[in-house]
Amino acid sequence: AAPTRAPAPAPQPELTTLTVDKGASSVAYHVVHKMHKVDGVCRAVEGRARILAKRQVQVAVRVKVETFDSGNSNRDAHMKEVLEAARFPYVELKAVGELGETTPPRSPVDRLFKAELLFHGIKQYLDLPVHLTYEPDGRIRAVAELRFIWDDKAYHIGASVGLTTVAADGTRADELLSQ
């Protein structure tokens, strides 16, 4: 009898890389101080996402602490001093989750991602609810709000991130998601 060969491994699907659409993304913060409330925003969001096999997605997003703006330069300077912006220049978030359906849904979907937040040099692990919307132009909008404790105080950060496809062949995100 002829020797049998093990079947060849199935080809691995190529990764799809998405990048943050800087014109459509922001990260906001809300701080309650004993004398006042402060809201600030950063529009200089950096990041990428990779869509893997089985509709898994990995996301890495960061913002420079120096770029947050509350509209009040004194409060911004104090916030940067408290957060030691020179020593800890970035707030970073890495998350993993599932996109779900095999094609972009017509309506928004909610997913729960496992996330790692790096804030002031400290890593925290969180469950991160994410609201995903697949836009007609192929972009994916991810909206998330996270609450965490730092220095015995509760903090709230909201993010609205637009992701757009980075593909050498010009393929759009909605086409890649339907594969």
Side-chain angles (χ1 to χ4, degrees), residues 72-138:
N72 181 314
S73 60
N74 289 332
R75 287 187 185 147
D76 292 342
H78 181 67
M79 181 270 302
K80 292 169 190 174
E81 180 182 325
V82 169
L83 294 182
E84 299 179 272
R87 185 171 167 209
F88 303 106
Y90 291 97
V91 174
E92 299 177 10
L93 180 77
K94 296 176 184 174
V96 178
E98 291 184 15
L99 293 176
E101 285 128 69
T102 57
T103 59
R106 295 180 189 267
S107 58
V109 294
D110 294 312
R111 298 285 183 249
L112 187 64
F113 282 46
K114 295 293 184 184
E116 173 188 289
L117 174 69
L118 180 62
F119 181 82
H120 199 258
I122 299 168
K123 286 183 183 176
Q124 295 190 38
Y125 298 92
L126 313 161
D127 288 332
L128 181 64
V130 179
H131 184 76
L132 297 169
T133 305
Y134 298 85
E135 299 184 5
D137 63 2

Side-chain angles (χ1 to χ4, degrees), residues 36-49:
H36 51 265
K37 296 176 183 175
V38 179
D39 292 297
V41 68
C42 169
R43 299 197 186 286
V45 181
E46 302 173 8
R48 293 205 183 268

